[in-house]
Amino acid sequence: LEINLDVLPFLHSAIQRLLQEYPSITHGLGRTERQVLDAVADGARSFDEIFASTQSREERPFMGDQTVWSRILPLARGTSPALSLESSDPPHSLTKGHLPRVSLAPSGDAYRTGDADFVRRNGIDRWIGGVHLEGQECDWRWDPDRGVRNFPT
């Protein structure tokens, strides 16, 4: 059976981009999460600024605002969050309709430089491509040199 993928010229890059959402072997962040942290480190503070910055870092922008917002909230939670939300409301009560200003938390730079692993410090509970990632020792990781790898525990 031969499959002609010429009719789907962007399939390879789309799958590659999806796989980059797996936590990195270096810092435990997916590509979008890393782009959010980089945007905030570069001075973006409002959701609109963060959204515009993350989209400018994409070869083929594809995310809507809700997708980016869904990556910001987990970065502001946990025992060692990457982001601080400047709001008196608890993070679990925030919605995209109530948008606080954002800044890097004390651990934010450590995740960006790879000196700390976000998943190991805060855990993960997320589905990516049919794989449920959970806990603090996530077995599936993105390695830019080798692709997605499974590190059995």
Side-chain angles (χ1 to χ4, degrees):
L1 176 69
E2 217 174 290
I3 300 174
N4 180 358
L5 293 180
D6 292 341
V7 296
L8 301 169
F10 301 111
L11 181 62
H12 181 268
S13 60
I15 291 173
Q16 186 78 7
R17 179 61 186 85
L18 172 68
L19 296 176
Q20 292 170 2
E21 286 301 297
Y22 280 85
S24 165
I25 61 170
T26 307
H27 43 65
L29 300 169
R31 179 173 163 181
T32 301
E33 296 161 328
R34 173 60 192 262
Q35 290 175 172
V36 166
L37 290 189
D38 289 345
V40 174
D42 290 346
R45 293 290 176 268
S46 71
F47 176 75
D48 290 343
E49 292 169 338
I50 294 168
F51 180 75
S53 178
T54 59
Q55 294 306 284
S56 73
R57 297 166 196 257
E58 294 289 341
E59 296 82 14
R60 292 183 179 91
F62 65 95
M63 288 178 277
D65 58 353
Q66 189 62 43
T67 302
V68 174
W69 179 246
S70 74
R71 299 303 189 283
I72 291 174
L73 281 180
L75 290 171
R77 296 178 180 148
T79 57
S80 183
L83 295 175
S84 294
L85 302 180
E86 299 170 13
S87 172
S88 58
D89 297 328
H92 67 273
S93 72
L94 297 172
T95 64
K96 198 180 73 57
H98 180 77
L99 305 174
R101 307 264 308 153
V102 178
S103 60
L104 280 180
S107 297
D109 275 327
Y111 300 129
R112 290 181 65 240
T113 60
D115 291 332
D117 186 288
F118 187 82
V119 171
R120 288 193 179 109
R121 285 191 175 180
N122 298 288
I124 190 171
D125 185 7
R126 185 169 167 220
W127 285 88
I128 301 174
V131 176
H132 188 201
L133 307 175
E134 61 182 333
Q136 291 179 294
E137 289 300 324
C138 172
D139 294 343
W140 293 91
R141 295 288 186 127
W142 172 252
D143 180 337
D145 297 324
R146 298 174 65 193
V148 171
R149 299 175 56 199
N150 177 267
F151 297 96
T153 53

